[in-house]
Amino acid sequence: QILSCSIMGVRGLQGFVGSTCPHICTVVNFKELAEQHRNKYPGCTPTIVVDAMCCLRYWYTPQSWICGGQWREYFSALQDFVKTFTAVGIKLIFFFDGMVEQDKRDEWVKRRLKNNREISRIFHYIKSRKEQPGRNMFFIPSGLAIFTRFALKTLGQETLCSLQEADYEVASYGLQNNCLGILGEDTDYLIYDTCPYFSISELCLESLDTVMLCREKLCESLDISLADLPLLACLLGNDIIPEGMFESFRYKCLSSYTSVKENFDKKGNIILAVADHISKVLRLHQGEKKLEDMLPLGPNKALFYKGVASYLLPGQKSPWFFQKPKGLITLDKEVGSISSDPESKQEVPMCTDPESKQGVPVCTDPESKQGIPMCTDPESKQEVPVCTDPESRQGVPVCMDPESKQRIPVSTDLDSKPGVPVCVDPDSKEGFPLCTHPESKQGVPVYTHPESKQGDPMCTHAEINQKSPLGADPEFKLEAGVCTNPEIKKEDLVTMEPEVKLQVTMVSDPEILKVARAHHVQAESYLVYNIMSSGEIECSNTLEDALDQALPSQAFVYRPVRQRVYSLLLGGGQDGASPCPAVKEWFVYSGNPLRHPDLVRPLQMNVPGGTPNLKLLWLNQDPGLQVRRVDALLGCFDLSSSREELQAVEDPWKALCCLLIYLFVQVDTLCLEDLHAFIAQALCLQGKSTVQLVDLQLDYIDPRAVQLGSLLVRGLTTLILVNSACGFPWRTSDFMPWNVFDGKLFHQKYLQSEKGYTVEALVEQNRSRLTKFHALKAVVCKACVKENRRIVSRQHWRSPQPGRWGRQGSGSHRTSSGYSRAGHGPHWRDQGPGKR
């Protein structure tokens, strides 16, 4: 989760701007800009679109970051940020990444592996110095992005989660809503033709001064047009196009570039050379030759076209596409216009997948006058129609075969024929509904979030963000893989009528999928929609010591919980029914090269009365259903037997106790001193002010406590997943870290507990806290005993089993020598990486 904003976006462009074209950077004042905006657009509130993922490093101002996060301090910093903009009449809209696009998976993996190396250096530093490293080794606390969403919502801010990489939706929202600008740190915003781009790293919150990066001045310096920027970005390399793909081409440009100045760096020279080639060579043949005839695209033609098209916002076109489709059918009713080549005699409508941004050719039926979505089979090169329901106007999704890793259409209509072709994004391998009826956003039952005052709107920004226009070379055909029907012949395409009813990718109920999507877009859930739509999720790096064999990775500790959530969300696997498909997990842990996702099978839940269906949990407003929701939540943690004990615990301790019980049952190397530290810090946190937490000083940093802090915080994010999957039985605020966890405070209690401090000393001689401490400890210990887990002091282990608590540097493989829960899912010591 280390955010290297300087490498996000176009390779080398950030450094080029700073060293070669500093004049494109202008110091501006947001207060003055807002006043100018109000004068120019009376009655329109100045709005800034914030790319939140780029801002996390800027927002996290607490000095301590190693212990699991200073969440009270962080929440206070966010509050100050929001208040400063609100005071000058500026509205903020925050966007978060909702998923990793398949085109960017390689870059995601590359960054995660780099983070692993950085984390190893951090733990080496801690062990040798017993202190936190300097800011130059800063690593953002686990779960920061997830909890920031909820913090901003708590502060009353409009917070949205993207259905693709957030930068496209940010740029699209800014353009279509006449926003004051975009606040972030990603050079892609210099490429998009959208509203002004402001740097978060240069922002002075006290004065509201920052730097505006002007794309018009950049074009002037490079002697190219705004429409040339996407082409330049892809030739230089970005998050879609690997930097090495056109390396030889760039050096050929450089060798023929005659205006090289000695004081320019190599990156700057290359950018100037490529821009010069675009303006003086490629532009001569613009509209006459195809890009693949002018550039060495080779087998990368499809990826290159997709990379260029990914920068085109709704209604925009690229002059670099030799032959372009006339119009697009998007997820919403609006049609984005992309002009076709005047010499072309045919126009190919394109149906665009909003998540992958890929267009799908549409064949027009001369009788019905309706477009039938088409897909190109990369093997047969034949186009195959995507069947749509004429009533719902929704495309037929598919489900995943975990063995072949391909999407296979699964019909919910017993009368439908097998083998129905479905349009699939070949990179993400996700089936997607095509051409949703524009009226479908109304009349959908919405589950009311218990902390919100009204039902969740259905994708309020879908009209803005779901139209990804794409102009493409007709020979390119945007090769989209499909599950084809061998009985369909090419000549049958034009007359074929859509007959098959709605089918869903991983979930067969479109109503439930829409509710999941709404919660996702409104940033009220975590991973639920990803599981139900694509069956693929990811989790970034965690501060874990790869050399500590006694503590498991959080990826393994919470996997059984996720497996039960998969069973709840995807159905099946019960009473002999067909098993659920495996979910693809991209989770970072020691020894995982991330070459492939782990294929993780759902685990059947043990819930009194049987596993409830999602319509019951999400859509039924009967107050009596709250009990079923709680049962489902406890079932995900396999703690149904502890229901009565947990119900007796008052808020906000119920969620914490649930998590601690699960942790101590699952991880046999946790001891009584650890439990004391977890409970004591949560209780003492309630009586601490933010200033007191800031002033808290630690004697030294313990590497095991660092990992335990991260382990608990990842448990809190898991609680968000489970709570949203079960219909929000518990208040989300009860497991927000600023209410139950503070990194430094936990570290202090851990060190004190290790030294043998009494319980009275741990709770700082407060009688009320002491009473609560014993009550919460009793609940956790009693529940663990029910599961045959007795929590004992670390002293019990030190003599007979000295190796249990050591940090072996041999890298020995974890063995199943400890406690195991037979029949309740694999113990962490027995878990492998999953099927790949």
Side-chain angles (χ1 to χ4, degrees):
Q1 286 197 355
I2 295 176
L3 297 180
S4 302
C5 286
S6 60
I7 66 169
M8 294 174 69
V10 184
R11 301 296 180 262
L13 188 54
Q14 186 84 20
F16 173 79
V17 167
S19 62
T20 308
C21 295
H23 63 280
I24 80 164
C25 302
T26 306
V27 176
V28 296
N29 181 270
F30 277 129
K31 186 176 181 179
E32 295 173 2
L33 292 176
E35 190 59 36
Q36 295 170 14
H37 190 275
R38 276 188 288 266
N39 292 335
K40 189 175 181 180
Y41 306 102
C44 180
T45 302
T47 302
I48 294 176
V49 196
V50 183
D51 186 338
M53 301 300 290
C54 286
C55 299
L56 296 179
R57 288 174 71 95
Y58 177 90
W59 287 331
Y60 192 86
T61 56
Q63 187 275 332
S64 174
W65 49 269
I66 197 75
C67 301
Q70 301 310 109
W71 298 98
R72 284 271 181 89
E73 295 177 57
Y74 181 64
F75 187 89
S76 180
L78 285 177
Q79 194 170 32
D80 291 342
F81 182 86
V82 169
K83 281 183 177 179
T84 303
F85 281 91
T86 304
V88 296
I90 295 177
K91 180 181 179 181
L92 301 174
I93 306 287
F94 297 89
F95 274 84
F96 288 81
D97 278 332
M99 55 188 64
V100 176
E101 292 186 30
Q102 294 305 312
D103 291 323
K104 299 187 178 183
R105 179 63 71 186
D106 288 345
E107 183 63 31
W108 184 90
V109 167
K110 181 180 176 182
R111 292 177 184 174
R112 301 292 77 77
L113 296 178
K114 178 176 180 286
N115 291 168
N116 278 344
R117 296 190 292 272
E118 293 171 336
I119 290 171
S120 294
R121 289 196 292 270
I122 289 172
F123 274 99
H124 177 77
Y125 186 98
I126 295 172
K127 292 173 185 178
S128 60
R129 306 282 188 88
K130 293 189 179 298
E131 64 182 17
Q132 175 180 279
R135 191 77 178 187
N136 62 315
M137 296 178 72
F138 173 70
F139 186 92
I140 67 172
S142 300
L144 191 69
I146 302 160
F147 292 120
T148 302
R149 298 185 208 167
F150 290 91
L152 291 169
K153 292 183 78 68
T154 302
L155 293 170
Q157 298 304 293
E158 185 170 349
T159 307
L160 301 170
C161 195
S162 70
L163 293 166
Q164 58 198 66
E165 291 275 341
D167 56 0
Y168 182 88
E169 296 195 11
V170 167
S172 181
Y173 188 100
L175 176 66
Q176 295 201 351
N177 289 270
N178 192 30
C179 290
L180 186 64
I182 292 168
L183 186 60
E185 202 71 28
D186 189 335
T187 49
D188 275 335
Y189 293 125
L190 268 175
I191 307 301
Y192 287 110
D193 187 3
T194 182
C195 59
Y197 162 43
F198 305 105
S199 168
I200 181 65
S201 66
E202 299 294 332
L203 175 64
C204 174
L205 196 59
E206 290 75 18
S207 64
L208 280 180
D209 287 339
T210 190
V211 167
M212 179 178 73
L213 293 89
C214 180
R215 58 185 69 88
E216 288 79 10
K217 289 183 180 180
L218 175 64
C219 289
E220 184 180 333
S221 300
L222 298 176
D223 192 26
I224 59 177
S225 68
L226 287 173
D228 298 332
L229 287 175
L231 181 64
L232 174 68
C234 290
L235 289 174
L236 295 175
N238 53 26
D239 290 345
I240 294 179
I241 308 296
E243 188 175 9
M245 185 176 290
F246 295 102
E247 186 173 9
S248 60
F249 167 79
R250 290 193 296 271
Y251 277 98
K252 286 181 181 178
C253 292
L254 184 62
S255 65
S256 62
Y257 181 55
T258 58
S259 302
V260 176
K261 298 180 181 179
E262 293 182 1
N263 60 333
F264 286 176
D265 60 54
K266 185 175 71 173
K267 286 278 189 183
N269 285 337
I270 288 178
I271 291 176
L272 288 169
V274 173
D276 185 72
H277 186 81
I278 291 173
S279 64
K280 295 180 179 177
V281 179
L282 300 185
R283 194 176 290 161
L284 293 176
H285 305 286
Q286 191 178 68
E288 298 176 1
K289 290 185 178 181
K290 302 171 186 177
L291 280 176
E292 61 266 31
D293 294 333
M294 298 187 286
L295 295 170
L297 303 186
N300 303 310
K301 181 174 69 171
L303 183 62
F304 186 81
Y305 270 98
K306 188 172 183 180
V308 174
S310 70
Y311 289 109
L312 299 181
L313 301 178
Q316 294 179 351
K317 60 183 180 180
S318 172
W320 292 103
F321 293 135
F322 178 72
Q323 185 177 2
K324 296 163 285 294
K326 183 177 181 180
L328 303 178
I329 302 174
T330 65
L331 192 67
D332 295 296
K333 56 187 175 182
E334 185 171 327
V335 174
S337 175
I338 295 184
S339 63
S340 58
D341 183 75
E343 296 182 9
S344 171
K345 295 183 179 180
Q346 64 181 33
E347 295 161 345
V348 185
M350 303 291 290
C351 183
T352 304
D353 172 14
E355 296 182 15
S356 68
K357 304 178 192 172
Q358 266 195 320
V360 181
V362 177
C363 176
T364 304
D365 181 354
E367 295 183 8
S368 66
K369 308 296 182 183
Q370 294 179 350
I372 300 175
M374 308 288 294
C375 283
T376 303
D377 183 354
E379 300 297 330
S380 66
K381 305 295 182 183
Q382 292 186 353
E383 292 181 331
V384 183
V386 177
C387 294
T388 54
D389 180 8
E391 296 180 2
S392 68
R393 307 294 171 91
Q394 292 179 334
V396 181
V398 294
C399 81
M400 178 183 70
D401 179 0
E403 302 300 330
S404 64
K405 300 182 181 178
Q406 294 182 351
R407 300 286 176 180
I408 298 177
V410 177
S411 173
T412 55
D413 181 5
L414 296 176
D415 297 326
S416 65
K417 298 179 180 180
V420 177
V422 177
C423 183
V424 182
D425 175 359
D427 296 310
S428 66
K429 298 188 173 57
E430 293 181 15
F432 50 84
L434 303 173
C435 314
T436 301
H437 193 284
E439 301 299 325
S440 64
K441 288 182 284 185
Q442 298 183 3
V444 179
V446 180
Y447 178 75
T448 304
H449 192 290
E451 293 184 46
S452 65
K453 296 180 180 179
Q454 57 185 10
D456 293 312
M458 293 288 104
C459 311
T460 56
H461 70 306
E463 294 182 355
I464 296 163
N465 299 313
Q466 297 313 306
K467 297 172 292 220
S468 308
L470 186 63
D473 175 77
E475 292 186 10
F476 162 48
K477 289 184 181 177
L478 292 167
E479 297 177 354
V482 295
C483 301
T484 60
N485 185 343
E487 297 180 0
I488 297 178
K489 298 180 181 180
K490 189 172 183 178
E491 56 266 28
D492 295 331
L493 298 178
V494 175
T495 59
M496 185 172 183
E497 290 280 359
E499 297 176 350
V500 180
K501 295 185 178 181
L502 178 68
Q503 299 166 343
V504 182
T505 306
M506 297 291 282
V507 176
S508 61
D509 191 330
E511 185 179 38
I512 285 297
L513 199 63
K514 285 195 176 214
V515 175
R517 175 183 164 121
H519 283 302
H520 173 93
V521 168
Q522 295 302 315
E524 292 179 340
S525 65
Y526 171 55
L527 296 181
V528 171
Y529 182 68
N530 307 64
I531 295 165
M532 299 177 75
S533 60
S534 67
E536 187 167 10
I537 63 172
E538 56 274 325
C539 182
S540 189
N541 305 77
T542 304
L543 276 179
E544 296 175 338
D545 185 2
L547 300 180
D548 185 349
Q549 298 297 307
L551 282 177
S553 168
Q554 64 88 20
F556 292 121
V557 172
Y558 299 111
R559 177 178 282 177
V561 180
R562 297 194 301 274
Q563 288 178 282
R564 296 184 188 98
V565 170
Y566 302 156
S567 179
L568 177 67
L569 295 179
L570 302 180
Q574 301 160 7
D575 302 323
S578 59
C580 299
V583 172
K584 296 179 181 179
E585 289 191 350
W586 295 89
F587 275 62
V588 181
Y589 53 84
S590 177
N592 184 7
L594 294 172
R595 283 190 287 268
H596 306 283
D598 293 340
L599 294 182
V600 179
R601 294 282 182 184
L603 191 61
Q604 189 170 342
M605 297 173 62
N606 180 22
V607 180
T611 305
N613 64 58
L614 294 182
K615 280 194 173 182
L616 200 65
L617 295 176
W618 292 9
L619 304 179
N620 195 312
Q621 299 298 312
D622 185 350
L625 261 299
Q626 194 69 358
V627 174
R628 297 297 304 277
R629 295 186 184 105
V630 172
D631 285 343
L633 184 147
L634 296 179
C636 289
F637 286 96
D638 202 23
L639 295 178
S640 297
S641 61
S642 302
R643 184 180 181 280
E644 290 185 9
E645 290 86 347
L646 285 170
Q647 284 297 96
V649 178
E650 62 185 26
D651 297 330
W653 314 116
K654 193 178 300 178
L656 179 64
C657 281
C658 173
L659 182 56
L660 290 177
I661 294 168
Y662 177 82
L663 270 178
F664 278 79
V665 168
Q666 189 72 12
V667 183
D668 54 0
T669 52
L670 294 178
C671 63
L672 197 60
E673 288 81 1
D674 300 328
L675 180 61
H676 286 178
F678 279 129
I679 296 177
Q681 71 85 28
L683 291 173
C684 291
L685 178 61
Q686 311 308 309
K688 303 284 185 185
S689 67
T690 302
V691 174
Q692 287 176 308
L693 294 171
V694 172
D695 293 338
L696 189 65
Q697 299 297 315
L698 299 173
D699 295 335
Y700 62 94
I701 299 296
D702 182 281
R704 184 173 182 272
V706 169
Q707 185 163 341
L708 285 182
S710 294
L711 184 61
L712 185 84
V713 171
R714 285 298 189 194
L716 296 176
T717 65
T718 303
L719 266 169
I720 297 176
L721 164 64
V722 175
N723 196 53
S724 51
C726 296
F728 306 99
W730 287 349
R731 295 184 310 183
T732 306
S733 60
D734 287 350
F735 36 89
M736 290 298 105
W738 47 88
N739 291 328
V740 294
F741 180 81
D742 180 87
K744 274 199 301 183
L745 187 58
F746 167 71
H747 218 92
Q748 181 192 61
K749 300 305 175 185
Y750 177 91
L751 296 178
Q752 291 175 349
S753 187
E754 281 286 285
K755 293 174 183 177
Y757 277 42
T758 64
V759 172
E760 290 78 7
L762 290 177
V763 297
E764 301 171 3
Q765 310 300 328
N766 184 293
R767 185 167 297 179
S768 174
R769 288 181 203 152
L770 182 62
T771 302
K772 289 181 181 178
F773 179 96
H774 286 300
L776 298 180
K777 177 184 174 181
V779 168
V780 174
C781 291
K782 182 178 179 182
C784 287
V785 168
K786 282 187 176 182
E787 303 294 339
N788 298 319
R789 165 74 155 106
R790 193 168 71 90
I791 305 174
V792 297
S793 170
R794 176 167 304 188
Q795 300 299 326
H796 175 79
W797 298 109
R798 278 183 174 146
S799 298
Q801 300 187 37
R804 274 182 83 88
W805 302 105
R807 289 175 176 78
Q808 301 95 346
S810 62
S812 58
H813 192 75
R814 293 180 179 129
T815 58
S816 182
S817 60
Y819 163 77
S820 180
R821 302 180 65 203
H824 292 275
H827 184 270
W828 68 265
R829 293 182 183 273
D830 303 321
Q831 291 188 51
K835 184 176 181 181
R836 291 183 182 162

